Amino acid sequence: MTSPFDLSGKTAIVTGSTRGIGRAIAEALIAQDARVVISSESADDTARAAGELGMPGLACDVSDDSAQAALVGFAVKELGGLDILVCNAGITGKAGPFAEIDMDDYARVMAINLRSQVVLCNLALPRIAERGGGAAVLVASLSGLRGNGRINAYALAKAGVAQLARNLAVEWGPQGVRVNAISPGFIATELSQPLLDDAAFMARRMAMTPLRRPGTPAEVAGVAAFLASPAGAFVTGHNLVVDGGTLITDGS
């Protein structure tokens, strides 16, 4: 009996897939026998990760529309088509209240975290539809679901990503393309290491998390694999929160 998570014969693009959550998602898809194009802004990082994973890779600055078009074209040429898109690439930007926001930083955060996903989906979803349908997974964030005094443009962009998934699910569902978002909470990655090392922050944050621990990239990746696989075949337009319960807790 074939596993409902089996991705044999399926092809994918995962942006920002040389480290952290994106790398874990690529590994999870590969573990289910998908072929995956590895990509990040850095050509060196992309070549290294692609070599380690035994997959094709292409560097792509997601703020560059032509580079994203080249990425989709590369995937179709190298893999013979496209079934799965994971939009993971993103940046955090400068922390602080909106009253003190740097609008140049705001523009860059919105361009990379939200606009790039609109552009890449517009390029990739028609290719997925051509193959008879498939799935897109857009990486949003818990910060897009809660108020925060210091996470400004990032949270706003990630809230937009969740809405983008809903809109695209409506638009592309009739062609067999499912679109969902994932909203990770606090995940232990290289980028979050300064917070992991901050004892006061960790005590406060873990008290607000029922599971009392950070998540791991692999735990987010498992959700992405589910949403991309036949196991998630009747799930679309959903924003799946992966946060150890932080969103729902009263702090008890």
Side-chain angles (χ1 to χ4, degrees):
M1 179 178 177
T2 303
S3 165
F5 298 95
D6 180 57
L7 293 172
S8 298
K10 301 300 183 181
T11 62
I13 292 171
V14 182
T15 64
S17 49
T18 60
R19 62 179 178 174
I21 290 172
R23 170 73 178 247
I25 291 173
E27 290 174 346
L29 299 182
I30 292 166
Q32 297 303 321
D33 292 325
R35 294 279 293 164
V36 179
V37 170
I38 306 302
S39 182
S40 79
E41 185 177 16
S42 166
D44 289 344
D45 288 350
T46 299
R48 172 186 50 77
E52 291 169 353
L53 296 171
M55 292 289 156
L58 184 70
C60 176
D61 176 354
V62 296
S63 67
D64 181 338
D65 294 3
S66 62
Q68 295 210 93
L71 178 63
V72 173
F74 175 82
V76 171
K77 180 180 178 181
E78 290 292 313
L79 304 178
L82 186 62
D83 303 294
I84 299 162
L85 171 68
V86 180
C87 294
N88 169 74
I91 59 172
T92 56
K94 298 177 183 178
F98 274 103
E100 300 173 4
I101 198 165
D102 177 334
M103 291 307 293
D104 289 336
D105 184 68
Y106 169 90
R108 178 163 170 76
V109 170
M110 296 299 285
I112 292 176
N113 291 0
L114 180 57
R115 185 185 185 279
S116 73
Q117 295 203 23
V118 174
V119 172
L120 189 53
C121 285
N122 281 342
L123 291 164
L125 297 192
R127 296 292 197 167
I128 295 173
E130 288 172 2
R131 298 265 283 184
V137 179
L138 315 184
V139 178
S141 170
L142 177 63
S143 67
L145 293 167
R146 305 169 73 229
N148 190 295
R150 292 188 57 76
I151 303 176
N152 47 54
Y154 178 84
L156 186 61
K158 292 300 190 177
V161 168
Q163 183 61 37
L164 176 63
R166 289 186 284 266
N167 280 22
L168 292 177
V170 171
E171 292 180 27
W172 288 94
Q175 296 183 63
V177 181
R178 298 181 296 105
V179 186
N180 291 286
I182 300 175
S183 283
F186 185 67
I187 307 298
T189 65
E190 178 183 333
L191 292 178
S192 65
Q193 192 60 51
L195 294 175
L196 290 165
D197 293 338
D198 184 334
F201 168 84
M202 289 300 293
R204 182 174 69 254
R205 184 56 184 265
M206 293 305 99
M208 296 171 58
T209 302
L211 292 185
R212 298 295 193 265
R213 64 173 179 83
T216 68
E219 289 169 330
V220 179
V223 172
F226 158 70
L227 291 173
S229 74
F234 204 53
V235 181
T236 195
H238 186 60
N239 181 16
L240 207 163
V241 180
V242 187
D243 71 342
T246 305
L247 181 63
I248 56 86
T249 188
D250 63 358
S252 297

PDB file of all heavy atoms in Angstrom, residues 60-82:
ATOM      1  N   CYS A  60      18.618  32.443  -6.398  1.00  0.00           N
ATOM      2  CA  CYS A  60      17.512  33.318  -6.803  1.00  0.00           C
ATOM      3  C   CYS A  60      17.279  34.380  -5.740  1.00  0.00           C
ATOM      4  O   CYS A  60      16.980  34.054  -4.589  1.00  0.00           O
ATOM      5  CB  CYS A  60      16.236  32.506  -7.018  1.00  0.00           C
ATOM      6  SG  CYS A  60      14.777  33.507  -7.422  1.00  0.00           S
ATOM      7  N   ASP A  61      17.418  35.628  -6.136  1.00  0.00           N
ATOM      8  CA  ASP A  61      17.018  36.754  -5.291  1.00  0.00           C
ATOM      9  C   ASP A  61      15.524  36.954  -5.515  1.00  0.00           C
ATOM     10  O   ASP A  61      15.103  37.386  -6.587  1.00  0.00           O
ATOM     11  CB  ASP A  61      17.804  37.999  -5.702  1.00  0.00           C
ATOM     12  CG  ASP A  61      17.375  39.248  -4.933  1.00  0.00           C
ATOM     13  OD1 ASP A  61      16.401  39.183  -4.155  1.00  0.00           O
ATOM     14  OD2 ASP A  61      18.009  40.299  -5.146  1.00  0.00           O
ATOM     15  N   VAL A  62      14.712  36.614  -4.514  1.00  0.00           N
ATOM     16  CA  VAL A  62      13.263  36.628  -4.728  1.00  0.00           C
ATOM     17  C   VAL A  62      12.692  38.032  -4.873  1.00  0.00           C
ATOM     18  O   VAL A  62      11.510  38.192  -5.212  1.00  0.00           O
ATOM     19  CB  VAL A  62      12.511  35.858  -3.616  1.00  0.00           C
ATOM     20  CG1 VAL A  62      12.889  34.388  -3.626  1.00  0.00           C
ATOM     21  CG2 VAL A  62      12.738  36.490  -2.250  1.00  0.00           C
ATOM     22  N   SER A  63      13.503  39.065  -4.628  1.00  0.00           N
ATOM     23  CA  SER A  63      13.024  40.425  -4.880  1.00  0.00           C
ATOM     24  C   SER A  63      13.157  40.807  -6.345  1.00  0.00           C
ATOM     25  O   SER A  63      12.710  41.880  -6.765  1.00  0.00           O
ATOM     26  CB  SER A  63      13.788  41.429  -4.009  1.00  0.00           C
ATOM     27  OG  SER A  63      15.154  41.508  -4.393  1.00  0.00           O
ATOM     28  N   ASP A  64      13.751  39.919  -7.156  1.00  0.00           N
ATOM     29  CA  ASP A  64      13.974  40.145  -8.581  1.00  0.00           C
ATOM     30  C   ASP A  64      12.995  39.271  -9.373  1.00  0.00           C
ATOM     31  O   ASP A  64      13.122  38.051  -9.407  1.00  0.00           O
ATOM     32  CB  ASP A  64      15.428  39.776  -8.912  1.00  0.00           C
ATOM     33  CG  ASP A  64      15.785  40.003 -10.371  1.00  0.00           C
ATOM     34  OD1 ASP A  64      14.884  40.053 -11.235  1.00  0.00           O
ATOM     35  OD2 ASP A  64      16.995  40.089 -10.670  1.00  0.00           O
ATOM     36  N   ASP A  65      12.016  39.890 -10.009  1.00  0.00           N
ATOM     37  CA  ASP A  65      10.989  39.140 -10.736  1.00  0.00           C
ATOM     38  C   ASP A  65      11.592  38.262 -11.827  1.00  0.00           C
ATOM     39  O   ASP A  65      11.151  37.119 -12.044  1.00  0.00           O
ATOM     40  CB  ASP A  65       9.979  40.096 -11.379  1.00  0.00           C
ATOM     41  CG  ASP A  65       9.161  40.863 -10.355  1.00  0.00           C
ATOM     42  OD1 ASP A  65       9.401  40.699  -9.142  1.00  0.00           O
ATOM     43  OD2 ASP A  65       8.270  41.644 -10.777  1.00  0.00           O
ATOM     44  N   SER A  66      12.593  38.778 -12.530  1.00  0.00           N
ATOM     45  CA  SER A  66      13.188  37.992 -13.620  1.00  0.00           C
ATOM     46  C   SER A  66      13.934  36.780 -13.067  1.00  0.00           C
ATOM     47  O   SER A  66      13.948  35.711 -13.690  1.00  0.00           O
ATOM     48  CB  SER A  66      14.124  38.857 -14.463  1.00  0.00           C
ATOM     49  OG  SER A  66      15.205  39.356 -13.682  1.00  0.00           O
ATOM     50  N   ALA A  67      14.529  36.927 -11.893  1.00  0.00           N
ATOM     51  CA  ALA A  67      15.220  35.796 -11.275  1.00  0.00           C
ATOM     52  C   ALA A  67      14.218  34.718 -10.866  1.00  0.00           C
ATOM     53  O   ALA A  67      14.490  33.517 -10.976  1.00  0.00           O
ATOM     54  CB  ALA A  67      16.021  36.265 -10.061  1.00  0.00           C
ATOM     55  N   GLN A  68      13.052  35.140 -10.409  1.00  0.00           N
ATOM     56  CA  GLN A  68      12.027  34.159 -10.051  1.00  0.00           C
ATOM     57  C   GLN A  68      11.495  33.446 -11.291  1.00  0.00           C
ATOM     58  O   GLN A  68      11.240  32.232 -11.258  1.00  0.00           O
ATOM     59  CB  GLN A  68      10.891  34.840  -9.281  1.00  0.00           C
ATOM     60  CG  GLN A  68      11.320  35.400  -7.939  1.00  0.00           C
ATOM     61  CD  GLN A  68      10.193  35.398  -6.923  1.00  0.00           C
ATOM     62  OE1 GLN A  68      10.048  34.458  -6.154  1.00  0.00           O
ATOM     63  NE2 GLN A  68       9.399  36.450  -6.921  1.00  0.00           N
ATOM     64  N   ALA A  69      11.347  34.182 -12.379  1.00  0.00           N
ATOM     65  CA  ALA A  69      10.921  33.547 -13.625  1.00  0.00           C
ATOM     66  C   ALA A  69      11.965  32.530 -14.088  1.00  0.00           C
ATOM     67  O   ALA A  69      11.626  31.430 -14.550  1.00  0.00           O
ATOM     68  CB  ALA A  69      10.700  34.609 -14.706  1.00  0.00           C
ATOM     69  N   ALA A  70      13.239  32.884 -13.921  1.00  0.00           N
ATOM     70  CA  ALA A  70      14.307  31.958 -14.295  1.00  0.00           C
ATOM     71  C   ALA A  70      14.283  30.710 -13.409  1.00  0.00           C
ATOM     72  O   ALA A  70      14.553  29.600 -13.885  1.00  0.00           O
ATOM     73  CB  ALA A  70      15.658  32.658 -14.188  1.00  0.00           C
ATOM     74  N   LEU A  71      13.945  30.886 -12.135  1.00  0.00           N
ATOM     75  CA  LEU A  71      13.878  29.742 -11.224  1.00  0.00           C
ATOM     76  C   LEU A  71      12.795  28.762 -11.647  1.00  0.00           C
ATOM     77  O   LEU A  71      13.019  27.541 -11.674  1.00  0.00           O
ATOM     78  CB  LEU A  71      13.608  30.239  -9.795  1.00  0.00           C
ATOM     79  CG  LEU A  71      13.470  29.169  -8.710  1.00  0.00           C
ATOM     80  CD1 LEU A  71      14.767  28.378  -8.555  1.00  0.00           C
ATOM     81  CD2 LEU A  71      13.064  29.812  -7.388  1.00  0.00           C
ATOM     82  N   VAL A  72      11.630  29.268 -11.999  1.00  0.00           N
ATOM     83  CA  VAL A  72      10.546  28.387 -12.448  1.00  0.00           C
ATOM     84  C   VAL A  72      10.927  27.708 -13.756  1.00  0.00           C
ATOM     85  O   VAL A  72      10.724  26.494 -13.932  1.00  0.00           O
ATOM     86  CB  VAL A  72       9.227  29.178 -12.587  1.00  0.00           C
ATOM     87  CG1 VAL A  72       8.138  28.314 -13.225  1.00  0.00           C
ATOM     88  CG2 VAL A  72       8.768  29.686 -11.218  1.00  0.00           C
ATOM     89  N   GLY A  73      11.508  28.470 -14.675  1.00  0.00           N
ATOM     90  CA  GLY A  73      11.936  27.872 -15.938  1.00  0.00           C
ATOM     91  C   GLY A  73      12.981  26.793 -15.732  1.00  0.00           C
ATOM     92  O   GLY A  73      12.947  25.740 -16.384  1.00  0.00           O
ATOM     93  N   PHE A  74      13.911  27.037 -14.809  1.00  0.00           N
ATOM     94  CA  PHE A  74      14.951  26.063 -14.489  1.00  0.00           C
ATOM     95  C   PHE A  74      14.337  24.783 -13.933  1.00  0.00           C
ATOM     96  O   PHE A  74      14.713  23.674 -14.339  1.00  0.00           O
ATOM     97  CB  PHE A  74      15.915  26.680 -13.467  1.00  0.00           C
ATOM     98  CG  PHE A  74      16.975  25.752 -12.963  1.00  0.00           C
ATOM     99  CD1 PHE A  74      18.130  25.522 -13.692  1.00  0.00           C
ATOM    100  CD2 PHE A  74      16.831  25.109 -11.736  1.00  0.00           C
ATOM    101  CE1 PHE A  74      19.122  24.670 -13.216  1.00  0.00           C
ATOM    102  CE2 PHE A  74      17.807  24.260 -11.250  1.00  0.00           C
ATOM    103  CZ  PHE A  74      18.970  24.039 -11.997  1.00  0.00           C
ATOM    104  N   ALA A  75      13.383  24.929 -13.021  1.00  0.00           N
ATOM    105  CA  ALA A  75      12.744  23.752 -12.424  1.00  0.00           C
ATOM    106  C   ALA A  75      12.016  22.925 -13.475  1.00  0.00           C
ATOM    107  O   ALA A  75      12.121  21.692 -13.502  1.00  0.00           O
ATOM    108  CB  ALA A  75      11.770  24.186 -11.327  1.00  0.00           C
ATOM    109  N   VAL A  76      11.283  23.589 -14.351  1.00  0.00           N
ATOM    110  CA  VAL A  76      10.543  22.870 -15.390  1.00  0.00           C
ATOM    111  C   VAL A  76      11.497  22.147 -16.330  1.00  0.00           C
ATOM    112  O   VAL A  76      11.274  20.984 -16.699  1.00  0.00           O
ATOM    113  CB  VAL A  76       9.637  23.846 -16.167  1.00  0.00           C
ATOM    114  CG1 VAL A  76       9.033  23.177 -17.396  1.00  0.00           C
ATOM    115  CG2 VAL A  76       8.530  24.380 -15.261  1.00  0.00           C
ATOM    116  N   LYS A  77      12.605  22.813 -16.683  1.00  0.00           N
ATOM    117  CA  LYS A  77      13.577  22.196 -17.589  1.00  0.00           C
ATOM    118  C   LYS A  77      14.306  21.028 -16.914  1.00  0.00           C
ATOM    119  O   LYS A  77      14.449  19.944 -17.502  1.00  0.00           O
ATOM    120  CB  LYS A  77      14.591  23.240 -18.043  1.00  0.00           C
ATOM    121  CG  LYS A  77      15.647  22.682 -18.988  1.00  0.00           C
ATOM    122  CD  LYS A  77      16.625  23.767 -19.416  1.00  0.00           C
ATOM    123  CE  LYS A  77      17.704  23.191 -20.334  1.00  0.00           C
ATOM    124  NZ  LYS A  77      18.686  24.228 -20.754  1.00  0.00           N
ATOM    125  N   GLU A  78      14.756  21.233 -15.670  1.00  0.00           N
ATOM    126  CA  GLU A  78      15.553  20.216 -14.981  1.00  0.00           C
ATOM    127  C   GLU A  78      14.723  19.026 -14.525  1.00  0.00           C
ATOM    128  O   GLU A  78      15.197  17.889 -14.527  1.00  0.00           O
ATOM    129  CB  GLU A  78      16.250  20.841 -13.768  1.00  0.00           C
ATOM    130  CG  GLU A  78      17.362  21.798 -14.093  1.00  0.00           C
ATOM    131  CD  GLU A  78      18.556  21.107 -14.718  1.00  0.00           C
ATOM    132  OE1 GLU A  78      18.983  20.060 -14.188  1.00  0.00           O
ATOM    133  OE2 GLU A  78      19.059  21.606 -15.746  1.00  0.00           O
ATOM    134  N   LEU A  79      13.488  19.297 -14.112  1.00  0.00           N
ATOM    135  CA  LEU A  79      12.671  18.243 -13.506  1.00  0.00           C
ATOM    136  C   LEU A  79      11.544  17.762 -14.407  1.00  0.00           C
ATOM    137  O   LEU A  79      10.848  16.810 -14.061  1.00  0.00           O
ATOM    138  CB  LEU A  79      12.086  18.752 -12.179  1.00  0.00           C
ATOM    139  CG  LEU A  79      13.099  19.267 -11.151  1.00  0.00           C
ATOM    140  CD1 LEU A  79      12.382  19.776  -9.905  1.00  0.00           C
ATOM    141  CD2 LEU A  79      14.104  18.184 -10.777  1.00  0.00           C
ATOM    142  N   GLY A  80      11.335  18.436 -15.525  1.00  0.00           N
ATOM    143  CA  GLY A  80      10.298  18.000 -16.457  1.00  0.00           C
ATOM    144  C   GLY A  80       8.924  18.537 -16.162  1.00  0.00           C
ATOM    145  O   GLY A  80       7.954  18.187 -16.836  1.00  0.00           O
ATOM    146  N   GLY A  81       8.812  19.399 -15.192  1.00  0.00           N
ATOM    147  CA  GLY A  81       7.527  19.974 -14.811  1.00  0.00           C
ATOM    148  C   GLY A  81       7.573  20.373 -13.354  1.00  0.00           C
ATOM    149  O   GLY A  81       8.599  20.215 -12.683  1.00  0.00           O
ATOM    150  N   LEU A  82       6.461  20.890 -12.860  1.00  0.00           N
ATOM    151  CA  LEU A  82       6.417  21.364 -11.483  1.00  0.00           C
ATOM    152  C   LEU A  82       5.093  20.961 -10.835  1.00  0.00           C
ATOM    153  O   LEU A  82       4.024  21.186 -11.399  1.00  0.00           O
ATOM    154  CB  LEU A  82       6.568  22.891 -11.445  1.00  0.00           C
ATOM    155  CG  LEU A  82       6.681  23.538 -10.063  1.00  0.00           C
ATOM    156  CD1 LEU A  82       7.922  23.045  -9.328  1.00  0.00           C
ATOM    157  CD2 LEU A  82       6.707  25.057 -10.197  1.00  0.00           C
TER     158      LEU A  82
END
